[in-house]
Amino acid sequence: MITELYVNVIDFGAKGDGVTDDTVAIQKALDNGGDIFFPAGTYVVKNTLKLKQSNTRLFGVKGKTILDWSKASSVFNTIGAELFQVYGTKSSAIKLTTDALKGKGLGNVKNDYPGHLVVKRFDYEIDVASTESINDNNLILITSDFMWIDDAVEHQHGELAVVSNTVDSTKLRLSNQLHEDYLTSKAARYHKITPIENVVIEGLTFRGHDYKDNVRGDYGLIVKYGRNITVRDCNFKSVDQCSVDFISVYNGCIENCDFYHMYTKPKYYIQYASKVSNASMFIKVLNNNYINGRHAVVTGHTVYEDLTKPAELRERCPGIQRHILVEGNTASGYWHAAYSTHNSSEYVTFNNNRALHCDKGFELRCSLVDAVGNQIKHCRVGFNLTVRPEYLQISKNTLVDTDLSIYAKTYTEGFNPKSIMISDNYLLNTTGTGIALNFTDCPGIVKDIVITQNRIVDCVANTYALQVSGKAECVITGNIFRNISNFIISLRGVTNSRASQNIAYDADTKGMFYLVNGTGNTAGGNVIRDNFAYNCYKGLIEMNAWESTTNTISQNYNNGVLVP
């Protein structure tokens, strides 16, 4: 005799006929837990569904099993209503008794994450007021009153950590090193997380309200304080605010899902498709299709734990997102940026994604980001580097039919960008500037800017193929330019920079270099050497206002002839 290894939601009274209200029946099935099958059909839902059981799998027939909230009434008439909750819990705070400092550890154990950076595991001990109720492999949230200044709001920092073991009644050993300093002077503390874990949701369609008036605003599938969460082969249609949000999830994946919203212009609601927020770590967003909205994939913040409470009683929802892999996705029709990071994020990788017909392909506002092998076509801006860009790698991307291909400007007041590598990219048919890095408003010298081995072809507007402005120290080397309608390389006020071994063909109206001083600063200490210009209308250098004798211009060639 073979025993069924799953239960059928129909056995709990659900009909799936598109007419009957199946809310109560589905909730009974969710409370039962285990493996729950949803046969093909349309299940009318008129309230929030809540999954509280770990080790649960919900599965249906992709594209044919529909959970339909479109007939729900007043409960979803305000911003913040959630269609489907998958919530763990967070305990009260327990104080740290000594400072916990980032990067400290007792030894390297292993590397178990295939992201863009090696994530090394460490044993690290922290001193706490009590370890009561803490067991091996428990998940904790470490935070303090230190505020991470975001571009939109002040955001309380914090991170998830796994307890390796309890050393004694006042000491915990963690299996991973910390990314931040948690100081007792800033009320450093930890919370035990009781996560909902080992959950798989697959083959279901979530249908929201769509836009009806200025107060509609449902959230779709919201996972808070989870571990080992997978959402795969699902469809999300017309969910107003955010389709999937991982809030402080440790190890999760969103893959092979389809997201659709009918609007391509800004509306009252936010229109996020996949969001990774707060203290989430080790999250993968893989091979999804996205159509229309504000952002297809965004890392960012959920400010408060519970929006239903009065403002004065709301508790901040702490955490910085780290180690996020976004790979193999396709997004089209996004009116802001297809892929975006808020600056409360670190260690984010974008690999082999596509952005089509969006205002911006990527908006990168944070540190420690790799964007490698992506395709951007028919977007106004390819990469927008803004707010707090530092330690970025933009490599091996293809950008076709953009206005601004790679653009950097408008930073947090007082912030200096640094360590930006732009290499091996192919820019075709740019109607504005190919690469434009503007650092004129930065308070200090911008260091470690490298632009190398890029190919810029058919830059046809009355601007520049490559421009760096402001007090920046940069290396521009090994780039190839062809069929440029204006200046090829414009350097405005840069210092201690080097441009060498660049090759330019066929500049119709201008020369290869346009060299001027910056506003309020004089360029100095620069070297322009070993560059080659062929068939550039005004030769190697069109304008040279670098009057400082500390600049060196030598060993450059125009049409094969050495320029003195």
Side-chain angles (χ1 to χ4, degrees), residues 366-385:
C366 66
S367 64
L368 297 162
V369 178
D370 286 357
V372 180
N374 303 284
Q375 296 183 28
I376 303 171
K377 296 182 179 181
H378 312 296
C379 297
R380 185 179 66 86
V381 178
F383 289 93
N384 186 37
L385 317 182

Side-chain angles (χ1 to χ4, degrees), residues 271-317:
Q271 289 181 293
Y272 292 160
S274 300
K275 183 182 177 188
V276 179
S277 58
N278 296 81
S280 290
M281 294 178 67
F282 307 115
I283 305 298
K284 300 176 184 177
V285 184
L286 308 175
N287 304 317
N288 302 289
N289 292 310
Y290 299 91
I291 298 176
N292 299 342
R294 179 182 176 91
H295 298 310
V297 181
V298 59
T299 64
H301 46 259
T302 299
V303 183
Y304 297 108
E305 292 277 7
D306 189 349
L307 289 173
T308 64
K309 291 182 178 179
E312 65 275 10
L313 298 179
R314 292 175 185 168
E315 179 186 359
R316 284 189 177 272
C317 195

Side-chain angles (χ1 to χ4, degrees), residues 9-10 13-20 22 26 39-44 64 66:
V9 73
I10 301 299
K15 301 297 183 183
D17 58 10
V19 177
T20 304
D22 288 325
I26 295 173
T42 298
Y43 298 83
V44 174
K64 296 182 179 180
I66 302 169

Side-chain angles (χ1 to χ4, degrees), residues 516-553:
V516 296
N517 292 316
T519 303
N521 69 289
T522 300
N526 301 292
V527 176
I528 308 295
R529 182 184 175 91
D530 297 323
N531 299 283
F532 301 86
Y534 297 95
N535 195 27
C536 294
Y537 180 67
K538 292 194 175 180
L540 187 81
I541 298 177
E542 163 76 5
M543 174 69 176
N544 181 9
W546 286 1
E547 299 174 354
S548 170
T549 57
T550 63
N551 296 300
T552 301
I553 302 174

Side-chain angles (χ1 to χ4, degrees), residues 46 90 92 146 163 188 213 218 232 269-270 284 297 306 376 399 451 460:
K46 294 188 176 181
K90 182 184 76 171
S92 299
F146 177 81
V163 175
D213 53 59
D218 22 279
R232 72 163 75 97
Y269 45 84
I270 297 177
K284 300 176 184 177
V297 181
D306 189 349
I376 303 171
L399 300 92
I451 306 170
V460 298

Side-chain angles (χ1 to χ4, degrees), residues 359-364 376-385 394 397-408 422 425-437 454-460 463-466:
D359 184 66
K360 303 179 189 74
F362 293 79
E363 183 159 274
L364 308 181
I376 303 171
K377 296 182 179 181
H378 312 296
C379 297
R380 185 179 66 86
V381 178
F383 289 93
N384 186 37
L385 317 182
I394 301 173
N397 303 286
T398 299
L399 300 92
V400 179
D401 293 331
T402 60
D403 183 26
L404 297 169
S405 291
I406 302 174
Y407 182 62
I422 300 173
N425 300 288
Y426 179 52
L427 283 59
L428 175 65
N429 195 26
T430 300
T431 57
T433 302
I435 300 173
L437 309 182
N454 301 284
R455 291 182 296 156
I456 302 179
V457 179
D458 295 341
C459 186
V460 298
T463 52
Y464 309 93
L466 189 161

